[in-house]
């Protein structure tokens, strides 16, 4: 009985601490939001394009894995968030050009293509420069290819044009430890790609066909964005990531330069003479942060894991 009382007391204390921490985070974030607004007004950069007062270059970070679901808290670049930033940069008359600061190994095909489409559209309205840090590969390069110019360091990793789907098979291990796994489906290929059995020849052919479609789309997008013949891009589409200095010789990169060089070039293309403001759109989602602190996100993830349907198999750009 004493142990039960102690456990209940600890549980109440744990909940109380979560509420306290959440309140402190709200206060802190509110204060930071005020500071960001003041910084933007004073010309030091901020997160709200509505308060820019002079000619500006907007910076949008693509830093992490690209996927259709997830948030910056998970290290995910989400198309919905990216689209909102791109729209914000387009709508602000004081933003004359945009720099995409890229440091990403890529991600899923559809999410990368969605962001690429938005970048290509925006580049018709305002200059967009890609500035690659350590790596701009696979889906991240697909996005960069839609910019007006790509700037990188000589040793930045560039390219990795290719598609991969990885399907584990743990049936042998389960058999050794005496575990049986029964899957009930309606639909001949509903469990294609299941890790509990080998693929059939037909399933392998079907999945390979989907990969080939994504691969051809990748090549087409890069060829159009870089103004290169598709046959030339296909020759380079081996899945290999080159150094940027090699990529420049192949037509995958325009210039060697730092992040600052890319900012200056964007300002030049945007017609800015003299000084300019840098407006950084950051990707932290306050709601997601609060969810993590309160433990709500973990509960939601557990509920998702209990859903009876399996997510459809989709090819992923290699990460």
């Amino acid at each position: 009985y004493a142990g039960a009382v102690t456990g209940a007391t600890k549980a109440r204390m744990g909940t109380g601490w979560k509420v306290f921490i959440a309140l402190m985070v709200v206060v802190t974030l509110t204060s930071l939001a005020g500071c960001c607004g003041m910084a933007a007004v004073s010309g030091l950069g901020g997160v709200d394009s509505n308060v820019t007062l002079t000619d500006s270059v907007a910076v949008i970070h693509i830093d992490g894995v690209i996927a259709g679901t997830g948030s910056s808290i998970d290290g995910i670049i989400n198309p919905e968030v990216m689209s909102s930033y791109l729209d914000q940069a387009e709508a602000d008359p004081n933003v004359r050009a945009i720099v995409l600061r890229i440091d990403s190994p890529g991600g899923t095909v559809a999410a990368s293509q969605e962001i690429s489409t938005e970048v290509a559209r925006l580049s018709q309205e305002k200059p967009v420069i890609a500035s690659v840090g350590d790596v701009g590969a696979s889906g991240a390069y697909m996005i960069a290819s839609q910019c007006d110019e790509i700037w990188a360091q000589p040793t930045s990793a560039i390219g990795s044009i290719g598609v991969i789907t990885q399907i584990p098979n743990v049936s042998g291990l389960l058999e050794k430890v005496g575990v049986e796994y029964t899957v009930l489906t309606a639909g001949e290929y509903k469990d294609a790609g299941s890790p509990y059995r080998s693929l059939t020849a037909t399933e392998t052919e079907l999945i390979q066909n989907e990969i080939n479609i994504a691969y051809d789309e990748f090549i087409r997008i890069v060829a159009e964005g870089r103004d290169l013949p598709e046959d030339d891009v296909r020759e380079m589409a081996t899945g290999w990531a080159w150094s940027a200095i090699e990529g420049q010789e192949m037509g995958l990169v325009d210039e060697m330069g730092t992040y600052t060089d890319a900012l200056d070039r964007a300002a030049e293309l945007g017609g800015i003479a003299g000084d300019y403001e840098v407006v950084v759109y950051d990707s932290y989602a306050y709601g997601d942060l609060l969810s993590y602190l309160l433990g709500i996100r973990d509960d939601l993830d557990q509920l998702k894991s209990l859903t009876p349907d399996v997510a459809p198999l989709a090819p992923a750009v290699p990460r």
Side-chain angles (χ1 to χ4, degrees):
Y1 178 79
V5 172
T6 302
T9 303
K10 288 182 178 179
R12 286 196 296 271
M13 290 177 63
T15 303
W17 273 109
K18 285 183 179 181
V19 173
F20 174 75
I21 292 172
L23 290 174
M24 292 301 295
V25 169
V26 171
V27 172
T28 302
L29 293 179
T30 302
S31 300
L32 287 174
C35 291
C36 288
M38 292 175 63
V41 172
S42 62
L44 298 177
V47 296
D48 187 352
S49 67
N50 293 324
V51 297
T52 55
L53 301 177
T54 61
D55 288 340
S56 306
V57 174
V59 175
I60 302 173
H61 289 275
I62 300 178
D63 186 3
V65 176
I66 303 163
T69 59
S71 71
S72 58
I73 301 297
D74 308 305
I76 298 298
I77 303 301
N78 186 299
E80 294 178 25
V81 175
M82 284 297 302
S83 180
S84 68
Y85 290 154
L86 294 170
D87 288 344
Q88 191 173 351
E90 180 181 9
D92 188 342
N94 291 321
V95 170
R96 306 292 295 277
I98 298 91
V99 169
L100 300 184
R101 179 58 173 174
I102 298 175
D103 219 325
S104 168
T108 61
V109 174
S112 301
Q113 186 172 17
E114 186 172 352
I115 297 173
S116 297
T117 301
E118 291 298 312
V119 171
R121 180 190 60 77
L122 178 57
S123 69
Q124 301 299 312
E125 305 298 327
K126 297 182 179 182
V128 184
I129 300 293
S131 170
V132 180
D134 287 325
V135 57
S138 203
Y141 183 76
M142 180 193 290
I143 295 169
S145 70
Q146 304 307 295
C147 298
D148 295 291
E149 293 180 4
I150 299 176
W151 287 62
Q153 290 296 292
T155 53
S156 300
I158 295 292
S160 187
I161 303 171
V163 181
I164 183 174
T165 290
Q166 297 175 326
I167 304 171
N169 182 0
V170 299
S171 59
L173 174 62
L174 295 179
E175 184 177 350
K176 285 183 179 180
V177 298
V179 176
E180 295 184 1
Y181 199 92
T182 302
V183 178
L184 305 176
T185 66
E188 184 178 358
Y189 303 116
K190 187 60 179 178
D191 70 332
S194 168
Y196 307 112
R197 65 173 179 82
S198 299
L199 288 171
T200 67
T202 301
E203 289 169 344
T204 299
E205 183 179 353
L206 288 171
I207 294 172
Q208 185 62 58
N209 182 63
E210 296 301 319
I211 292 173
N212 292 342
I213 291 173
Y215 179 65
D216 289 341
E217 274 292 284
F218 198 164
I219 291 171
R220 179 190 65 78
I221 291 169
V222 171
E224 290 181 358
R226 296 298 299 168
D227 194 22
L228 292 170
E230 283 196 23
D231 289 342
D232 290 355
V233 175
R234 191 173 294 275
E235 288 184 10
M236 296 183 283
T238 62
W240 186 256
W242 292 274
S243 65
I245 198 166
E246 293 175 296
Q248 187 177 28
E249 296 174 357
M250 302 164 69
L252 299 177
V253 175
D254 293 294
E255 299 290 345
M256 298 295 109
T258 65
Y259 167 63
T260 302
D261 294 330
L263 286 173
D264 290 341
R265 176 58 173 162
E268 179 185 350
L269 291 179
I272 300 176
D275 295 336
Y276 57 89
E277 181 181 353
V278 176
V279 184
V280 179
Y281 299 162
D282 247 331
S283 56
Y284 268 105
Y286 297 155
D288 286 335
L289 180 57
L290 286 173
S291 295
Y292 269 105
L293 289 172
L294 292 171
I296 298 172
R297 186 58 175 270
D298 292 337
D299 294 337
L300 290 175
D301 289 340
Q302 290 177 11
L303 286 174
K304 288 179 182 178
S305 70
L306 295 175
T307 54
D309 200 7
V310 180
L313 182 67
V317 179
R319 301 201 291 251

